[in-house]
Amino acid sequence: MPDIPKQVPTAPEQGPGVVPGREADDGTTILERVPQKTQPPRLYQVLLLNDDFTPMEFVVMVLQEYFRHGLDTATQIMLKIHHEGRGVCGVFTKDVAATKVELVLAASRRAGHPLQCIMEAA
Ligand code: TYC
């Protein structure tokens, strides 16, 4: 049987989750581990806004290609935007939401449509 190495507790290194604690007898400061309180990332809604010029088919294509909706859901979301003025395409972390907005705006401008795409904190 190979020897299993003993787990020896090691001193925490300085960094996140480690704070200076009490002083040891030799005058040195003991570093203590504390639980790290990381928050879940904030989420952002990406929305499309209605306009009078962008073809419905183009909006449905955007919802399928950039937000991975199926044809039925994409059509429902497009019609909601058409009737109510705006609608949520999806909810993402900040970087992903910002990239989606850029990609949708670039595709819309390339196709010559005025479609507006924005992000809002969820
Ligand atoms: N209102 C547009 C039309 O009648 C369709 C449309 C839907 C445009 C949703 C933009 O985000 C939009 N052609």
Side-chain angles (χ1 to χ4, degrees):
M1 268 271 273
D3 276 351
I4 298 165
K6 255 207 199 119
Q7 288 291 323
V8 180
T10 54
E13 288 171 31
Q14 222 148 3
V18 176
V19 294
R22 66 184 174 79
E23 237 179 48
D25 293 342
D26 65 0
T28 59
T29 303
I30 295 169
L31 296 177
E32 287 176 358
R33 285 189 201 283
V34 289
Q36 288 190 62
K37 296 188 191 81
T38 51
Q39 303 299 327
R42 290 207 63 181
L43 295 178
Y44 292 78
Q45 294 182 329
V46 173
L47 300 109
L48 286 174
L49 308 184
N50 189 36
D51 66 71
D52 292 338
F53 305 101
T54 304
M56 291 181 171
E57 297 74 23
F58 184 81
V59 179
V60 171
M61 181 280 292
V62 162
L63 288 161
Q64 290 180 289
E65 293 298 317
Y66 295 93
F67 300 96
R68 310 315 303 171
H69 290 299
L71 178 60
D72 287 1
T73 305
T75 303
Q76 281 171 25
I77 296 172
M78 181 280 294
L79 285 173
K80 181 188 166 72
I81 302 165
H82 179 71
H83 290 298
E84 298 178 15
R86 54 192 259 155
V88 177
C89 310
V91 180
F92 309 95
T93 55
K94 194 176 197 175
D95 288 1
V96 174
T99 301
K100 300 253 182 214
V101 169
E102 291 301 316
L103 292 174
V104 169
L105 291 177
S108 301
R109 298 306 165 265
R110 269 199 307 277
H113 302 312
L115 183 62
Q116 286 300 322
C117 186
I118 60 170
M119 60 191 270
E120 287 179 356

